Amino acid sequence: MNDLKLSPIVAGAWRLSEWQLDVPQRLAWIEGCIARGLTSFDHADIYGGYEVEALFGEALAAAPGLRERMQLVSKCGIKLSTPNRPSHAIKSYDSSAAHVRASVEASLKALHTDRLDLLLIHRPDLLLNADELARCFEQLRSEGKVLNFGVSNFTASQFALLNSRFPLLTNQLECSPLHLDPLDDGSFDQLQQLRLRPMIWSPLAGGRLFTGTDERSLAVRAVLADMRERLGGASATTLALAWLLRLPCQPIPVIGSHRLEAADEAMAATKLELSAEDWYRIWMAGAGREVA
Amino acid sequence: MNDLKLSPIVAGAWRLSEWQLDVPQRLAWIEGCIARGLTSFDHADIYGGYEVEALFGEALAAAPGLRERMQLVSKCGIKLSTPNRPSHAIKSYDSSAAHVRASVEASLKALHTDRLDLLLIHRPDLLLNADELARCFEQLRSEGKVLNFGVSNFTASQFALLNSRFPLLTNQLECSPLHLDPLDDGSFDQLQQLRLRPMIWSPLAGGRLFTGTDERSLAVRAVLADMRERLGGASATTLALAWLLRLPCQPIPVIGSHRLEAADEAMAATKLELSAEDWYRIWMAGAGREVA
Amino acid sequence: MNDLKLSPIVAGAWRLSEWQLDVPQRLAWIEGCIARGLTSFDHADIYGGYEVEALFGEALAAAPGLRERMQLVSKCGIKLSTPNRPSHAIKSYDSSAAHVRASVEASLKALHTDRLDLLLIHRPDLLLNADELARCFEQLRSEGKVLNFGVSNFTASQFALLNSRFPLLTNQLECSPLHLDPLDDGSFDQLQQLRLRPMIWSPLAGGRLFTGTDERSLAVRAVLADMRERLGGASATTLALAWLLRLPCQPIPVIGSHRLEAADEAMAATKLELSAEDWYRIWMAGAGREVA
């Protein structure tokens, strides 16, 4: 990325509210991530039914100086219909300047910070007005409230549109050996062409990689198990992330575990370069076919 | 659009020959449209088996000065196999300079006018030679016979190709709550990126919106009926067009009714701005799913 | 193409090892092709299980001056798992600089030549690093070992990526009346936009055009037979290639027969311009539908 230096693995706060941690425990998790090199934290306004940012912010408020040692990523643009947002009659998208600004202000307050390092539009709003949104980004940046901007789950043409009005830093996409879409639909080609790095959500297929009983999951697991011995006992987490890190678009995976061992296994992937043959072994298992 | 100012709703002459109108009745329809703000008229050489343009032109010839109060759009590039064109052995496409020029000359003659405000290539000819066609456009423009050029039913890559040789003004596409393709296939993204406005054909799904008995039609109709009360009694036509007009690429719908009440209902859409939530309610019914 | 002048029909050496020719017979085939105007020869490192280039090179070595009268195209990037390459544990792709360089050196040696006129990356390697590969191309060109570069079987976004780093000359794609993908997926649009000419493999659908018993094959064959009389007795090979040559992106078909009569029939296509209607007749049979 241009200005922003994200850590090679990003800590996802998605499930923070499920972990039922008190403030000292939350601080321990945050400090533990930073100590292991995961200095970037991934949020969204809607995580935990709009409650995760505040839980995280409570910890930040309790530890002066901590904010300076991390990068904060958040997202907006999805309106959930929950008791926390009674004005949302249905789940829908909103990328209007008014909603994005209001969401950023709410995120800053909840996170107890004066700035986001990176703001992503969470989903491609079909009503997205690129000129209006670009002006909104411009203003938020000039106010110092958001330093960089990107999107998530955008197609290549949606990315090209917004990027033509405002330089985006990333497209956060789902990818794993069990979810190969961005390898095939032009998304990764586009990002490599623009010299931008995707962030990756569900790099472990939401756990399906470890527990899935479908044919593809079993096939990938068998390949990873087979590889483990040969590659110094690397865990499935390490291997699956090393598989992503091998891609030429230089993806930045987001992992979402409260176990610091998972952070260790993830960071181990940054030191493990798979051979092209091993990469294709995993791809073949996930794709369910040989190369042409 | 750049030079050309089309009316916010365009009157489609597609079915003019079916309406069985005499010249005074045709004039009344044309004048009625103009009086309501539909000053742009959409034609194609092939409409009515190559007969609609002449019916319209007969009315124009009968009313001096009328031509100056309207914009004329026509299309060419489809060769129908009909008794009117015995030389066409099969239905096929032709975007050669010779065919486009001959078609324009025939349209001008039939319409009793000296110029088209906008000419569209009706369908993407797989044999389209972009350099040859661009030279043909250039010449027709320099002769004052066609003032602006566009296409219809082109994919994004077909549009990019021809637009790289000659600046196009629009891509006339099918779109309605029951036909969502251009929202998904990159067509609308491309047009917004280029700051071009699509024209829209079948914005009411060819009537299926009112009479269709399939699941999606019923679902959209139910949503529109539910919305009607809340939005001042707006008709289904008004709501469906307001749904299109809400899109950031600023579509220009073509409606094809001889009833001037339909023109009134269509123009009412230009004064009705749907909320994003209402827009997504209609989209959800048409798409058959919630947002992700 | 830019610098390189390929012959209008290219002679494919794909099956050379199957033909079981001794050196004089190989020379007769090569000379026969050149005499008929097929001066460009299409190779790949892997053809014949990595053996075709050497068979061809043996003939070249036996005929001083022959190399100057032809253009040599080869490909690399697929790693076959064969007894000839025991280090390849699985079939996979490799477009690393090291592999491409090693493959080029091996091709030059096998072909008994000091240069390739055109090198193609055979398949889109998902690990393709465009910057690394562009530097490799640059170097091979500066050394005079490869004069021009292209790809094969790349999607439009994969082509755009590599072409953004190094100017490519072609994308060799499969196309025939029975394989219409590049007409629909934007590949040919992109190449025409860039004023580049595709090379075409399997222009006769691998023989299916002559012997296939599926519905589409039968339909195309019937149309070609019907056309034959009308068009001066042109053979199915001639007609199918004339169908390709009619495309505005100006394809360059590769034919792979040891029969010099096939070369004659292919070159006859360069003198036969199909009418647009005849082109669409063949397209309709292959697509299984009328135009919209």
Side-chain angles (χ1 to χ4, degrees), chain A residues 183-190 192-195 246-248 275-281 283-284 290-292, chain C residues 78-79 87-94 123-131 155 157-158 160-162 164-165:
Chain A
L183 287 161
D184 297 326
D185 65 13
S187 295
F188 282 174
D189 298 325
Q190 176 187 49
Q192 188 185 164
Q193 185 171 341
L194 295 169
R195 302 187 197 281
R246 185 68 170 73
L247 286 165
S275 71
E277 274 199 355
D278 278 341
W279 191 91
Y280 273 107
R281 276 194 180 88
W283 177 87
M284 280 167 57
E290 295 205 330
V291 300
Chain C
I78 300 178
K79 282 179 165 174
S87 69
H88 301 174
I90 56 167
K91 182 179 180 185
S92 65
Y93 298 157
D94 190 343
R123 289 272 174 188
D125 175 16
L126 295 165
L127 298 178
L128 187 149
N129 182 314
D131 285 316
T155 64
S157 64
Q158 291 163 340
L161 163 58
L162 187 55
S164 75
R165 303 296 202 269

Side-chain angles (χ1 to χ4, degrees), chain B residues 249-272:
Chain B
C249 57
Q250 304 182 52
I252 303 172
V254 179
I255 62 162
S257 173
H258 68 289
R259 296 185 316 109
L260 291 173
E261 295 75 22
D264 287 327
E265 292 178 55
M267 287 303 287
T270 65
K271 302 210 164 70
L272 176 69

Side-chain angles (χ1 to χ4, degrees), chain A residues 81-158:
Chain A
S81 177
T82 77
N84 274 340
R85 289 295 186 279
S87 69
H88 300 176
I90 57 167
K91 182 178 181 186
S92 65
Y93 298 156
D94 191 343
S95 59
S96 67
H99 177 71
V100 169
R101 168 164 290 275
S103 185
V104 165
E105 305 281 8
S107 289
L108 293 177
K109 192 171 165 196
L111 287 163
H112 282 278
T113 185
D114 60 344
R115 68 193 186 282
L116 297 174
D117 294 284
L118 177 59
L119 176 74
L120 309 180
I121 301 298
H122 207 152
R123 289 273 174 188
D125 176 17
L126 295 165
L127 297 178
L128 187 150
N129 182 313
D131 286 315
E132 175 186 339
L133 188 53
R135 278 192 301 270
C136 171
F137 285 177
E138 207 65 76
Q139 211 161 6
L140 286 168
R141 182 150 68 180
S142 75
E143 296 168 14
K145 289 179 174 165
V146 181
L147 307 186
N148 296 279
F149 298 85
V151 297
S152 186
N153 304 302
F154 273 42
T155 65
S157 65
Q158 291 163 340

